[in-house]
Structure formats: structure tokens, C-alpha cells
Amino acid sequence: MNKEALKNSINKYCKVKYGKSLGEAKDYEIFNALSLALLEEVVDDWSETKALYNQGKKAYYLSAEYLMGRALGNNLISMGVYDEVKEVLNELNIDLNAIEEIEEDAGLGNGGLGRLAACFMDSGATTNIPLQGYGIRYSNGLFNQKMVDGAQMEEVDTWLKYGDPWSIRKDDEAVIVEFSDYSVKAVPYDMPIIAYGSKNVNTLRLWQSESLESFDFDLFNKQEYTEALKCKNDAENISRVLYPNDSKEAGKLLRLRQQYFMVSASLKDIIRTHKAKFGSDFSSFGKEHAVQLNDTHPVLAIPELIRILVDEENVKFKDALSIAKTVFAYTNHTILAEALEKWDVKLIEKLFPRILEIIRHIDFVFVQELEDKGYDKEAINEFKIINYNQVRMANLAIYVGFAVNGVAALHTDILKDTELHNWYELYPEKFQNKTNGITPRRWMRLCNQELSAYITELLGTESWVNNLSELKQLEKYIDDEAVLNKLMAIKKTKKEQLAAYIKEVEGVELDPNSLFDIQIKRLHEYKRQLLNAFYILDLYNRLKANPSMDIPNVTFIFGAKAFPGYVRAKAIVKFIGEIAKKVNNDPVIGGKMKVIFVENYRVSYGEKLFPAADISKQISTAGKEASGTGNMKFMMNGALTFGTYDGANVEIVQEAKEENNFIFGLRVEDIEQIGGKYNSKEYYEADLSLKTVVDALVDGTFCDGGTGEFQDLYNSLVNEGDTYFLLADFVAFKEAEDKVFAAYKDQKHWAQMSLMNIANSGIFSSDRTIMQYANEIWGITPKTVK
Ligand SMILES: *Cc1c(COP(=O)(O)O)cnc(C)c1O
């Protein structure tokens, strides 16, 4: 990269966009000018990549969520110019870090599922796979969380307020999406996904919904201003917010509209590229296109493809269904019943009656196939796509999809053995496992530049960033004191950086010499943040009784957003806040322990938290966390997993060995065995320390502001069966924590365990995952731009 040219380019964009010189520009203006200057560097490669990919089979990832985070730092890493650009900016008296920090996260997702989609985009580009993402360009992503006196408040997320310099709007490729009541324009915004180590630039295409006309001129003239703008508002509402509240019918309709909007626009786009190559010959459609459905949200793509082929392209229904059966593959992300989507027939009929007709037709053909196979009526009812006037999206996806995958070995086994057992018996050949992964660019190379540089020094090459299993070679340093000391020194640096950041944004002082124990993830009862909270409160009680207790200084960090309508999750946030207040303000406890719930956990905050952790808390009820990916980010950055035998934790300890992590609690088999016989009250009454912390919910120790929320939490555990087995796992949790404290005393051994985790994290690169999708599902090989 030519330094002078870059300076000129930044200056130029500052001038044409803001009419000022760089010297006068605000940070966000510099951010935009710099981003445009960098975009200019990759646009030619981007065009070349598109042309190259158009020559063969392509895969499309359809996802309602992309939790992208910030673009600038990641793109600098991918382009291989981070240090150079930092120098250029230094020469201009600009601090790159400040410019990075001004960028808003693109938070177009809720949690793991959306972040997985983002990691897959990065890995698709870096492994040179013809993969394009499709999604929705929500004007407002996941809410911003404000903590007010320990409770969560939500504020609208305005990620576009400083502009979106990395996206290119393609007006000429807009398509029209039709609903029964009105039609809208879907306008694509393309984001470049820049490969690390090659020239490839993949595309994430996000659709924005706009009105066909800007307003109704007649009504406006009649001075009916609100009515005149109704069509504009209706259209723009479709891509206004991620997952609108759907507790009422209007919300459900909006969400269903969003889903159809996304799949209809994407399929019309795919069909347009197909026709440009093959005219109206659709016989090769499945050889040219593979569509991965990220959970059930985009499953309407199936009847939409058939609708377009039948109604607009004169294909016979039977042939259209056969084509669809070669195109779609479905990823299942959860076995939680509430997350398996079902839509009322009435809602579908209201918005797109033709789609309902097609679903009915598919169901009819399916039932005939089952009858031919000799299934009886009762069995058929379990498979049927439409049942009790509801469309079961997973059933539609599994019947038509040619592949169905779970997201970790244990999860896929549970699907085959229990949740989808009948389907597995019907179509054993469709079921596959694809253990999730994370991109080592963002989650190591960018967010832990100190560790990355050291690994490169030790291995003598940076090729591990593209081929993460090379980290295995680090094992040879297992007894090398200098290496172990350096690893611990880097961890200390990352803890100091995090502490400084937390001091700045939260106003709380943390001790970087203490053990950092971190639980960051969406707030959900099955993830059991409440169990962690009970443990912390019990530790506090013991420390009060015995202030000279022999434990290392410890800092417990939480970060989590609770779904706005999820009352219990919000109560748990409040409870943790109350515990933090009590512990942190107690002079007797002094510096021994500290608790903090950080505000607005999101991708960019995660980049500071994961590298600073000593302990990664992964304590979901066994069988409930399909995979988890936060666990992998921690592992790669040298934290030890404190977790249950669940999701990808199982594979983490397989790779890094159980003795280098802390596994505790009930396993899936145990929970199955206990079954309906579980009596949480027995556990509650049997252990006084447990009873004491559970009673703290209701005995006046803490205040929930008179809402009764803490009483409700208490009831869920003691009187309503404790669905997630918190009380059953409490004692094992405590014992495992004792082992952590004992292990932390031996810093050398701790460093060895940490090294083993880093060295064995290679398999959790999403490069490995995406190549498995490409080979084993899509039948696609890499294509590299020369
Ligand atoms: C990785 C990630 C998640 C997923 O975390 P889990 O612990 O796997 O649930 C959620 N949110 C953000 C911001 C993430 O980066």
C-alpha cells in the first residue's frame, strides 16, 4: 500500500463528503473517509471475485441475522494493512484506536446464531468459497442496553447514524416483493467480505424495504399528511427493526412479512443470475445453486422458489418440487420447543395466499409418499407440514431439504436420537453434523494482537491464521518457562486493557491481578446465569464468615442482554446487580472479590472481554446449549472452560483434555434418567448454603422494587420444578470452583493448561466448519482470484 496515496485518498474523501480538510474533521468523519479510501482499494478485486464465482456453482447463506460488529479493524486485518495504516494515521496525528472506537456495531442479530452467520461470511471469503450471504438491512439492530440502578432498560440502536461507508447501494438490482395487500421495493446493499491472505472479496447482500412511491401526491394535496405517507411507512417498517415484538397479531404479521421479504428478494436475485446464464432452462438449477437455511426463519424460501418456477417460469409443480429438493439444506440450531417456528395458517393466508396453496400442495405430496411407505395416520400426523392449522417450518425444511445438520456432535446426536428421531429413521441420509466455529481473524488476530504476534514469533510464520490447526505445534513449549511466563504476561496485559476500558465506560475499578471469571452470552434461564449468581453469593457468605479464607482475589464479570419481554431474564439481571452492589460495597470483603455486570454486551465489547478471561463460564443445563461459540472464543484466547458437558464444551475438552478444564454437573444421560422424578425441593432443603442463597430472593436480603420478580424466580426453582436443574448442580458447581482456586495458585501449571487450550483450538476455526459445509453439503470447491 502506497502511504502517500492513502493519505491523499483519505483527504479527498474528507473533502468531497464533508467539505473540510482532514485537520478539521471529527473522528466519525475520519472513520468514513478512511473506510471509503480502503473500500476503493478492494472494489476491483470484488468485481473480479463476482465474475469468477459466476462461472460455477454458488452457495447462498440465508439468514435473518448477521451479528457483524465493527468493520474497520477487521477489514484492516483482512487486507493485511493494519500496522501500515496505523502508521499513516500516526503521521497525520490521528489515533487509529479512537477511530475504531467511534464505529457503531452492526448488531443485526441477537446472539450466537447471528454471530455464526458473520463468522461464516468471513471464513467463506478467506477459504475462497463462492458463498454469498443474504439478509435484511434492519435500520435498527438489537437494542442498546442501559443499566439503570442495576436493571436493564432498552434504547433504540441507531447503527447507521454516522453512515455506512462499507455498503454499496445497488439501485439497479432492486426487486419488487409482493404481498396480498401491497408491494414493496427490496433494495440491495452489498457489504464486501474481504478474504485474509487472498484477493477474494465475497458479498453480503442485505435488503432494505422501500415504498414504490415516495408518497401519495393526491392525499398530500388534500392535506392528509399522515395518510399520504402511509405506504412509505408500511414499506419501511418491514426492514425497520430486528425481531419486532410479536406478542400481538400485528407484530406476528410484521415478522412474517420480514421473512417473506428476505426470501422472495433473495430468490428473485438468484433466479435473475440463473436466467442470465441459462435462459429459462431450470434443469441445472440444483447443480448451480445451493441455499443454506440458517434455522427456520428463511424456510419460506422453499415455497417461494416453487411459486416463482410454477407461476412465473412455467415449470410443472412436480418438477419445481424436484428442483427444490436439490437446492435447500437446513441447519437446526436448537431443541428448545419455543424456538421451533410454527405459523398460523391464517396469517400466511392473509399475507400470501398463493404460498399457503403451495405449502398445502407440498404437504399433500408428502403425505402420499408416507402412505406409500406404509405409515399409519398417527405417524403421518407427526410428520405433516400443516397440522392443527399451523405450518411447521422445521417439517417443511426437513422434508424438502436434502441435508439437515446440527451444530455440534452432541446436538446432532440428540436430534437423531430423540428430538428428530422419527425424521432420522425416515431420512437417515439427510442428517449430518457441522460443529460450529469462529473466525480466528476477528477473535484472535484482531482482538488479541499481542498473543497473535507472539504465536507468529514462536511458529516463525503467520500461516496459522489461515490454517489454525498449526497451533498444535505450540504444545512443544509445554515445559518452556519463558514461553509460559510470556503467555501469562500477555494475559495480564489484556486484563489491564479491559480494566482500563471498564474504568472508563462503567466507572468501576477492577484488579488485573485477580482471577477474571467471565460469563458473557444472551440472558436465558437455560444458560443459568442465576446459578453462577447463587455461587457468587454463597462465596461472599463464606468469606464474610471467614475473612481469611484461602482463595485468590477474584473478579466475576457478567455481560448479557435480556429479551425485552422476558420478565424472568430481566429479574436475573436485577438480582446480579443487587449482589454486585452488596459485594462491592462491603469493606470487610475489601479487594478479595468483585462482581460487575457490564453494560451493553455486544461484539465489540466481546473483543475486549474474551482475551482477558482466565475462566470461561459455560454452565448451561446439559442438552440445552446446541453448541455455543463464546466457549470457542475464550478457549482460543487461553481461558480455561468451567462448564457442563454440553454443546461444543464436549468437543473442547476432547481436544484440550478434561484435565486442562473444569467440567462439572449433570450430564444429558443423568438428566434423562432423573426425568420427571426430579424434586428440586429436596436439594433446596438438603444443603443449608444453597437454601440461604435461594432464600435471599425472598427474605429481604435484596429488593426487587416491589415487583414480585424475585419471588417469581424463587417459585420457579422451589415450587415449579426448577426446569433447568440449578439446584441439582449447585454442590458440584462449588466443588469445581474449589478446584479452580486451588489450580490458580500454581501459576506455572495454569499457564500450561492455558497453552493446551490455545494449542488445541484449531478445530474450532470457522474455516474448518465452512469447508465442511462446502464439501459435504453444497458440493462446492474454492475459486481463488489470481
Ligand atoms: C459469540 C457471541 C455470542 C454467542 O455466545 P454463546 O456463549 O455461545 O451463547 C453472543 N453474543 C455475542 C456478542 C457474541 O460475540
Side-chain angles (χ1 to χ4, degrees):
M1 179 168 270
N2 180 322
K3 282 189 176 180
E4 283 315 302
L6 180 65
K7 278 184 199 169
N8 289 337
S9 182
I10 300 171
N11 258 305
K12 174 186 75 186
Y13 282 111
C14 214
K15 265 191 216 147
V16 296
K17 204 165 158 54
Y18 299 107
K20 14 171 123 159
S21 71
L22 199 50
E24 301 164 315
K26 298 256 191 331
D27 280 354
Y28 80 88
E29 293 167 334
I30 300 171
F31 160 73
N32 275 294
L34 172 61
S35 299
L36 290 170
L38 293 166
L39 181 60
E40 189 180 339
E41 298 276 320
V42 300
V43 283
D44 289 337
D45 290 342
W46 198 359
S47 304
E48 271 195 56
T49 310
K50 274 184 213 159
L52 179 68
Y53 286 176
N54 264 336
Q55 292 168 15
K57 185 170 187 178
K58 276 170 75 177
Y60 309 90
Y61 202 72
L62 257 62
S63 177
E65 301 188 26
Y66 289 91
L67 196 54
M68 301 297 282
R70 291 172 175 158
L72 177 60
N74 197 252
N75 288 346
L76 287 170
I77 293 289
S78 296
M79 293 168 72
V81 298
Y82 190 97
D83 291 334
E84 259 177 283
V85 168
K86 196 179 173 88
E87 272 171 40
V88 169
L89 294 187
N90 265 342
E91 289 165 20
L92 296 166
N93 271 323
I94 300 165
D95 174 13
L96 174 58
N97 272 25
I99 304 303
E100 284 180 78
E101 285 294 321
I102 198 80
E103 182 178 359
E104 293 283 320
D105 278 41
L108 311 184
N110 280 294
L113 176 149
R115 185 53 230 174
L116 184 76
C119 284
F120 280 1
M121 288 299 108
D122 185 89
S123 283
T126 292
T127 57
N128 308 308
I129 289 170
L131 170 68
Q132 176 167 328
Y134 279 116
I136 299 177
R137 186 173 189 261
Y138 305 103
S139 324
N140 304 102
L142 186 58
F143 64 87
N144 277 320
Q145 178 190 55
K146 288 273 171 236
M147 302 300 269
V148 180
D149 194 26
Q152 169 177 302
M153 305 289 273
E154 300 90 26
E155 279 182 359
V156 60
D157 159 59
T158 52
W159 70 288
L160 292 168
K161 69 177 171 224
Y162 296 133
D164 175 19
W166 289 97
S167 293
I168 297 185
R169 180 183 166 104
K170 295 277 173 74
D171 276 290
D172 61 331
E173 293 182 42
V175 298
I176 291 176
V177 174
E178 294 173 37
F179 301 97
S180 62
D181 43 1
Y182 56 86
S183 298
V184 299
K185 191 164 64 171
V187 184
Y189 280 74
D190 287 356
M191 280 188 190
I193 308 292
I194 303 167
Y196 180 92
S198 81
K199 287 171 80 176
N200 286 37
V201 180
N202 284 14
T203 303
L204 171 58
R205 172 161 280 195
L206 300 178
W207 300 102
Q208 176 162 296
S209 177
E210 296 180 8
S211 172
L212 298 175
E213 288 160 50
S214 56
F215 61 89
D216 187 316
F217 195 79
D218 281 345
L219 286 172
F220 199 85
N221 238 356
K222 289 182 195 151
Q223 303 172 51
E224 294 174 25
Y225 304 119
T226 311
E227 274 305 299
L229 279 163
K230 185 173 181 309
C231 62
K232 179 172 154 71
N233 284 332
D234 283 348
E236 290 176 9
N237 279 346
I238 292 176
S239 56
R240 198 176 303 281
V241 283
L242 170 76
Y243 283 7
N245 186 341
D246 62 357
S247 58
K248 300 201 190 99
E249 172 158 315
K252 289 198 175 71
L253 278 172
L254 179 54
R255 188 137 159 200
L256 191 56
R257 246 188 238 281
Q258 288 187 322
Q259 295 189 351
Y260 183 71
F261 168 77
M262 172 178 80
V263 303
S264 180
S266 306
L267 281 168
K268 286 181 176 178
D269 203 34
I270 295 169
I271 285 174
R272 179 171 49 200
T273 59
H274 184 84
K275 288 178 80 172
K277 251 169 101 180
F278 299 97
S280 289
D281 178 4
F282 290 94
S283 56
S284 66
F285 198 77
K287 289 200 188 73
E288 290 289 314
H289 314 279
V291 175
Q292 191 68 39
L293 304 169
N294 194 25
D295 212 315
T296 52
H297 319 134
V299 167
L300 285 173
I302 293 171
E304 175 64 0
L305 173 65
I306 295 174
R307 185 195 66 78
I308 296 172
L309 292 178
V310 171
D311 294 358
E312 296 174 15
E313 304 294 343
N314 286 316
V315 178
K316 289 201 188 81
F317 178 86
K318 186 167 158 284
D319 297 333
L321 178 57
S322 299
I323 291 171
K325 284 181 173 183
T326 63
V327 171
F328 295 100
Y330 159 64
T331 304
N332 175 286
H333 282 273
T334 175
I335 56 162
L336 296 184
E338 72 258 26
L340 281 181
E341 281 185 300
K342 298 185 182 80
W343 287 105
D344 278 346
V345 162
K346 276 208 190 90
L347 295 184
I348 295 185
E349 188 166 33
K350 191 164 178 175
L351 294 182
F352 10 82
R354 179 64 180 139
I355 291 294
L356 181 63
E357 253 175 45
I358 287 168
I359 296 172
R360 283 195 198 284
H361 200 161
I362 299 170
D363 203 23
F364 176 80
V365 173
F366 181 30
V367 168
Q368 273 192 333
E369 284 177 18
L370 291 170
E371 282 171 355
D372 291 347
K373 287 187 175 167
Y375 281 88
D376 64 21
K377 200 163 162 54
E378 201 181 328
I380 289 176
N381 272 341
E382 283 188 22
F383 287 115
K384 265 181 72 61
I385 296 164
I386 303 178
N387 206 19
Y388 295 108
N389 285 316
Q390 288 195 312
V391 178
R392 300 188 284 196
M393 306 308 276
N395 295 36
L396 178 54
I398 304 170
Y399 169 56
V400 180
F402 66 85
V404 177
N405 75 283
V407 291
L410 179 70
H411 171 59
T412 303
D413 285 344
I414 292 175
L415 291 180
K416 288 190 197 172
D417 297 345
T418 50
E419 294 304 313
L420 299 177
H421 182 65
N422 55 345
W423 287 97
Y424 177 59
E425 287 193 316
L426 180 61
Y427 302 127
E429 72 287 352
K430 290 191 186 188
F431 284 76
Q432 302 194 19
N433 177 246
K434 296 285 167 282
T435 299
N436 283 167
I438 57 168
T439 168
R441 268 72 62 190
R442 183 177 297 267
W443 297 115
M444 174 70 117
R445 182 64 186 79
L446 172 66
C447 76
N448 201 339
Q449 301 195 22
E450 296 82 354
L451 183 56
S452 297
Y454 189 50
I455 291 172
T456 299
E457 186 189 319
L458 290 175
L459 301 185
T461 157
E462 214 174 27
S463 60
W464 59 271
V465 182
N466 287 85
N467 187 6
L468 204 67
S469 41
E470 290 176 17
L471 292 182
K472 186 84 181 166
Q473 296 163 35
L474 293 172
E475 279 191 359
K476 65 173 177 259
Y477 298 106
I478 193 72
D479 289 314
D480 186 324
E481 299 260 353
V483 171
L484 296 173
N485 287 337
K486 176 78 182 181
L487 283 180
M488 291 307 268
I490 290 170
K491 181 62 78 181
K492 176 83 181 299
T493 302
K494 300 314 282 182
K495 287 160 78 168
E496 285 166 353
Q497 289 170 359
L498 176 65
Y501 181 75
I502 286 180
K503 172 85 180 123
E504 182 192 325
V505 298
E506 320 267 354
V508 176
E509 202 125 13
L510 302 184
D511 170 14
N513 288 312
S514 65
L515 190 165
F516 278 21
D517 175 312
I518 306 187
Q519 187 178 24
I520 43 176
K521 47 183 72 253
R522 283 304 296 261
L523 218 138
H524 201 289
E525 286 163 281
Y526 86 79
K527 291 177 182 276
R528 302 202 294 190
Q529 282 96 347
L530 186 54
L531 175 58
N532 198 11
F534 283 147
Y535 168 73
I536 293 166
L537 183 57
D538 175 63
L539 181 65
Y540 169 77
N541 288 342
R542 283 186 282 150
L543 214 47
K544 284 287 273 189
N546 176 14
S548 60
M549 205 168 105
D550 184 24
I551 60 161
N553 292 353
V554 55
T555 301
F556 295 99
I557 302 176
F558 290 87
K561 288 181 185 175
F563 189 74
Y566 189 174
V567 176
R568 271 188 190 160
K570 287 176 132 179
I572 293 168
V573 175
K574 211 183 271 177
F575 184 61
I576 296 168
E578 288 293 306
I579 292 174
K581 240 190 279 174
K582 189 173 198 77
V583 172
N584 299 349
N585 292 325
D586 190 329
V588 178
I589 296 311
K592 281 245 90 142
M593 68 184 283
K594 200 142 214 176
V595 183
I596 178 170
F597 196 114
V598 301
E599 186 176 79
N600 207 27
Y601 170 55
R602 62 198 185 284
V603 170
S604 58
Y605 214 142
E607 288 165 23
K608 299 175 171 70
L609 288 157
F610 288 108
D614 295 303
I615 283 288
S616 155
K617 275 248 158 89
Q618 309 298 337
I619 58 174
S620 52
T621 315
K624 296 293 180 195
E625 188 74 87
S627 164
T629 49
N631 46 6
M632 302 168 185
K633 298 167 199 165
F634 280 116
M635 179 200 196
M636 211 172 274
N637 284 280
L640 316 189
T641 299
F642 179 101
T644 45
Y645 217 65
D646 197 20
N649 298 352
V650 174
E651 289 158 84
I652 285 176
V653 298
Q654 243 162 36
E655 296 296 317
K657 302 222 183 87
E658 197 155 334
E659 71 237 36
N660 296 311
N661 293 286
F662 303 92
I663 296 299
F664 77 100
L666 297 173
R667 299 186 172 206
V668 174
E669 315 80 272
D670 302 324
I671 287 178
E672 271 169 8
Q673 205 167 30
I674 299 173
K677 296 195 298 282
Y678 176 50
N679 182 351
S680 61
K681 240 183 186 146
E682 271 171 26
Y683 290 88
Y684 166 76
E685 275 154 11
D687 188 296
L688 184 60
S689 71
L690 173 60
K691 186 170 185 303
T692 305
V693 292
V694 175
D695 285 348
L697 283 165
V698 291
D699 65 7
T701 308
F702 298 118
C703 173
D704 65 5
T707 57
E709 287 169 9
F710 289 176
Q711 178 74 53
D712 174 55
L713 289 179
Y714 176 90
N715 290 346
S716 75
L717 301 170
V718 180
N719 301 320
E720 291 163 21
D722 183 20
T723 313
Y724 298 104
F725 296 86
L726 276 72
L727 306 192
D729 270 343
F730 182 74
V731 170
F733 190 118
K734 272 171 79 165
E735 286 166 6
E737 285 280 7
D738 288 345
K739 288 185 193 149
V740 172
F741 291 149
Y744 198 67
K745 276 192 197 158
D746 183 349
Q747 287 281 297
K748 179 183 170 193
H749 185 231
W750 189 278
Q752 289 174 318
M753 295 194 287
S754 175
L755 175 69
M756 283 299 286
N757 274 281
I758 298 167
N760 289 288
S761 64
I763 196 171
F764 300 110
S765 166
S766 46
D767 297 351
R768 184 269 310 153
T769 316
I770 212 71
M771 286 191 285
Q772 284 184 322
Y773 276 86
N775 288 329
E776 298 162 19
I777 299 181
W778 307 329
I780 283 188
T781 46
K783 281 197 161 63
T784 310
V785 172
K786 294 283 175 295

